[in-house]
Amino acid sequence: MDIIISFAIAVLFATGIYQLLRRNVVRSALGLVIISNAINLFLLAIGAYDGTVQSYAKAIGVRSDALPLALILTAIVISMGGFAFTFAMLYIVMRRYKTADIDAITELKN
Amino acid sequence: MNSQDAILPIAIPLAGAGVAMLLRGWPKAQRLWTFGILMASLAMCVNLLNHVFSSSKPLVFQLGGWAAPFGISIVVDALSAIMIVMVQFVMLMGCIYALDAKDIAKRYSVFMPLFLTLTVGLTGAMLTGDTFNLFVFMELIVISAAALTAMSDDRSGTEAAYKYFYISQLATIFLLLANGLIYMSYGTLNMADLAIRIKTDALAGGPMPPMFTLAMVCFFATFMIKCAAFPFHFWQPDFHAAAPTAVSAMLSSVVVKSGVYGFIRMTTLLFEPFAPQLQQVLMLIGAIGVIYGGFSAFGTHHAKRMFAYSTLAQIGFMLMGIGWGGTLGIAAAIVFMVNHALIKSAMLMLSGYLASKAQIKSASFENIKGLGKYLPQSGVLFFVGSMALAGLPPLNGFVSKMMVFRAGIEAEQWAWLAAIGLASLLTLIYTMRAFQWVWFVPPAAGVKAKKDGDSLFAPTVLILACVVLGIWGESLVSVAIQASEWVQQPAAYIAAVHPAK
């Protein structure tokens, strides 16, 4: 389980960073969503899932902690609002320029 | 004063925002209500400042009665108290400017509620004693400020808001990651508790937890984006040119201070054992910011962009102050923060005033060149403001720059001092160039000021505050030195929040 979750976090992070750097505004916004999900999964992993010892304790054992779940819930709610807002603004910007190419959206630079 | 009062500067505007939303059908009532709420909340902040200094110990409120490491603590110490008074005073001035502005933003019924939630976010970020709570308030700042920016007269307002939101959202996501990493290392998110654990671990001399350095770096990067320090400044000038005046004045003066405040807390409380290394980096990015910001401001053709780059330079001075550290360095940073908030918001409001008087609503220099002939009183304010920005006596900018240089002399950093001393002369050059273009060049044929425009009341009050704080600067300086002495002794902060240890 540990290894699966670690791989999932790594793959999500890598995908997110890769999408973030694309020259397409929609893809770069989706990269942000993917990174935020990777971080939520990471928060789940630091809380671990079964056992009695906390993740930060230096003792060796099966680890578990409920607090990160509360952090994830808060983070999910906040990021949902944030991403809805992101895509709403993106829609307006793209409708104006009629393109998703980041190099074409340049009116602000001077 | 009860400990519950510590939360009132957050609770009053938050409740006020809800009521203001209900008043959306009555725009006039909504504006008056917002103004009243900001007044009440500022009065509460001043009251708290007074209380904290007279009782000379931090006022701590444990939310819900949960004791320190478990619950969320709201801590009002000297530094936070000064910061919240500064934030709420400048926000109140921004509200007054917005009341009388002719912007489109005024027609949106959510403008005033968002202004209040921005105040909540800023105040909360400066009062909270919990890093996860800091993340929540940072997110509130970002989303309110982006929505406010989008309500612009400029057609690229949404683009500016998107740019700002995207970068800041990335920063807050990494703040969340930093929270996860720090929780993984120490099992607590309370700043006082963390400070104790990190110090014990560092003094023990063994290796730090594996993710600890990454957590520190994530915090550092987040605050760098928040205060738009050198390598992360690129998004700031772009959205300044497009945001409504009242909003850009707030973003450049108080929102960036949340990052500087974060750096002070990082080097004196959270990561105190690692402060020397952090301070080295802060000095470097501060010095580069001062020089780079000065030159970039010189190369702009838009008044608001010019002041945005000038913010980069001024933030550099604050970071130098924190980087030099010690009582004098931190005090210099605090004085600089307060003075810069007053000057920069006044200057951006004056640029917005000029834009509102021009035929096309834009603060680019070719558009407002020569317009000053019809607007002499704003010329006086602009002149005094630019003298304050450049740091000439007897204005408050002089006091803050002198504090920074004194801190540098105390720290014996001669090379840095020479570099930023020369770079600070650039301020005088670019502001005077702008002054000359607007007030001394004769207007081109057909250029006339419009009859109706924004009101000069808010910038006048701010410039008066600059003059007053320049002539009677000792009060602010002595308060800042006292606050700096407090933050130099994190033990007092920790004892107030976490009496068990």
Side-chain angles (χ1 to χ4, degrees):
Chain A
M1 190 69 182
D2 283 352
I3 294 180
I4 298 172
I5 292 239
S6 324
F7 266 108
I9 296 170
V11 169
L12 277 178
F13 237 109
T15 321
I17 298 276
Y18 176 68
Q19 297 294 348
L20 201 79
L21 300 172
R22 297 284 283 261
R23 312 297 300 168
N24 179 314
V25 273
V26 182
R27 283 179 196 277
S28 69
L30 282 173
L32 208 59
V33 179
I34 296 172
I35 289 184
S36 125
N37 280 322
I39 291 173
N40 284 340
L41 204 54
F42 170 73
L43 288 177
L44 183 70
I46 63 169
Y49 4 86
D50 52 3
T52 48
V53 185
Q54 299 89 341
S55 58
Y56 49 88
K58 292 198 171 103
I60 294 167
V62 194
R63 293 171 166 186
S64 176
D65 186 2
L67 190 124
L69 299 181
L71 302 190
I72 298 170
L73 274 181
T74 318
I76 287 177
V77 172
I78 292 177
S79 59
M80 190 218 57
F83 292 129
F85 187 50
T86 308
F87 284 104
M89 282 195 290
L90 197 56
Y91 174 69
I92 297 176
V93 171
M94 280 173 56
R95 203 175 50 177
R96 228 187 98 203
Y97 286 93
K98 299 199 171 53
T99 173
D101 186 2
I102 227 162
D103 293 320
I105 301 175
T106 51
E107 201 171 279
L108 272 176
K109 295 183 195 159
N110 71 3
Chain B
M1 190 173 251
N2 294 323
S3 67
Q4 283 94 323
D5 292 349
I7 200 159
L8 282 181
I10 304 173
I12 295 175
L14 192 58
V19 177
M21 212 50 232
L22 296 176
L23 289 174
R24 65 186 181 280
W26 299 273
K28 203 156 195 180
Q30 190 193 39
R31 277 179 226 137
L32 283 177
W33 168 259
T34 309
F35 175 72
I37 284 292
L38 280 171
M39 284 286 268
S41 155
L42 175 64
M44 197 57 229
C45 291
V46 174
N47 196 358
L48 276 175
L49 178 75
N50 193 9
H51 172 80
V52 166
F53 274 96
S54 61
S55 74
S56 69
K57 70 179 201 326
L59 185 67
V60 182
F61 177 49
Q62 314 282 6
L63 277 180
W66 296 91
F70 307 111
I72 294 170
S73 323
I74 299 290
V75 191
V76 193
D77 74 338
L79 173 64
S80 310
I82 296 173
M83 289 291 105
I84 58 172
V85 170
M86 171 196 89
V87 164
Q88 302 228 345
F89 177 72
V90 176
M91 290 301 289
L92 178 66
M93 287 303 139
C95 175
I96 292 175
Y97 188 90
L99 286 179
D100 231 5
K102 303 287 180 288
D103 287 339
I104 280 182
K106 229 174 124 176
R107 280 188 230 145
Y108 291 88
S109 56
V110 288
F111 184 82
M112 286 298 172
L114 281 171
F115 217 74
L116 285 173
T117 51
L118 182 59
T119 317
V120 175
L122 281 165
T123 317
M126 284 159 183
L127 286 185
T128 183
D130 182 282
T131 52
F132 189 74
N133 206 224
L134 180 70
F135 158 75
V136 175
F137 282 123
M138 286 285 188
E139 195 78 36
L140 187 60
I141 297 174
V142 169
I143 202 159
S144 323
L148 285 169
T149 309
M151 294 174 208
S152 166
D153 292 27
D154 202 312
R155 50 204 289 271
S156 49
T158 320
E159 193 187 327
Y162 181 70
K163 205 168 198 172
Y164 171 66
F165 191 68
Y166 188 86
I167 302 288
S168 303
Q169 178 83 346
L170 198 59
T172 40
I173 284 179
F174 276 88
L175 186 56
L176 180 63
L177 179 61
N179 272 310
L181 295 166
I182 207 86
Y183 186 79
M184 186 182 176
S185 311
Y186 289 105
T188 178
L189 291 169
N190 187 288
M191 287 188 198
D193 199 21
L194 269 176
I196 302 170
R197 284 166 195 252
I198 291 172
K199 194 156 193 180
T200 328
D201 238 20
L203 288 182
M208 299 301 283
M211 291 299 189
F212 175 75
T213 316
L214 189 56
M216 198 157 71
V217 171
C218 281
F219 271 114
F220 200 89
T222 308
F223 291 137
M224 265 172 89
I225 296 181
K226 285 288 151 199
C227 71
F230 164 66
F232 298 143
H233 66 279
F234 52 89
W235 47 276
Q236 209 206 15
D238 280 351
F239 81 86
H240 265 85
T245 306
V247 179
S248 70
M250 295 306 107
L251 287 170
S252 188
S253 59
V254 287
V255 175
V256 290
K257 299 294 158 37
S258 61
V260 183
Y261 169 82
F263 279 130
I264 296 186
R265 280 277 179 252
M266 261 182 92
T267 54
T268 59
L269 179 72
L270 266 179
F271 301 111
E272 200 214 345
F274 301 91
Q277 288 94 316
L278 295 175
Q279 283 169 335
Q280 287 287 327
V281 185
L282 282 175
M283 253 193 276
L284 184 68
I285 60 175
I288 297 175
V290 169
I291 297 164
Y292 182 85
F295 278 109
S296 305
F298 195 64
T300 51
H301 296 282
H302 191 289
K304 283 189 182 176
R305 278 181 92 87
M306 184 181 88
F307 287 121
Y309 276 116
S310 139
T311 299
L312 173 59
Q314 308 272 321
I315 292 286
F317 279 108
M318 292 165 217
L319 297 187
M320 298 294 284
I322 302 173
W324 284 328
T327 309
L328 208 53
I330 302 280
I334 297 171
V335 172
F336 214 114
M337 274 201 254
V338 175
N339 286 340
H340 172 253
L342 300 174
I343 305 169
K344 192 49 63 69
S345 50
M347 295 310 271
L348 276 162
M349 282 174 190
L350 285 171
S351 321
Y353 169 78
L354 287 172
S356 77
K357 286 282 187 187
Q359 296 299 331
I360 307 165
K361 194 160 189 172
S362 158
S364 75
F365 284 127
E366 54 187 285
N367 193 34
I368 56 176
K369 213 175 234 180
L371 205 63
K373 193 177 163 226
Y374 309 102
L375 311 161
Q377 68 278 53
S378 64
V380 176
L381 294 178
F382 195 94
F383 184 77
V384 176
S386 38
M387 290 291 122
L389 197 61
L392 291 178
L395 296 155
N396 64 349
F398 173 70
V399 179
S400 41
K401 272 196 184 152
M402 200 179 71
M403 292 279 289
V404 171
F405 285 114
R406 272 283 299 282
I409 291 166
E410 194 115 310
E412 298 185 337
Q413 306 277 357
W414 306 112
W416 295 117
L417 270 177
I420 64 169
L422 283 175
S424 77
L425 285 180
L426 283 169
T427 320
L428 200 58
I429 301 173
Y430 64 73
T431 52
M432 278 303 105
R433 190 190 58 155
F435 182 70
Q436 187 195 0
W437 274 351
V438 180
W439 278 275
F440 275 88
V441 173
V447 170
K448 261 193 103 112
K450 275 201 290 196
K451 268 251 151 41
D452 57 337
D454 297 353
S455 152
L456 267 182
F457 179 73
T460 313
V461 173
L462 284 164
I463 293 284
L464 274 180
C466 292
V467 176
V468 168
L469 279 181
I471 296 172
W472 290 281
E474 319 91 81
S475 51
L476 177 61
V477 171
S478 71
V479 165
I481 286 180
Q482 232 172 313
S484 169
E485 275 162 1
W486 284 35
V487 295
Q488 296 294 317
Q489 284 146 2
Y493 180 99
I494 292 166
V497 180
H498 201 330
K501 297 266 173 154

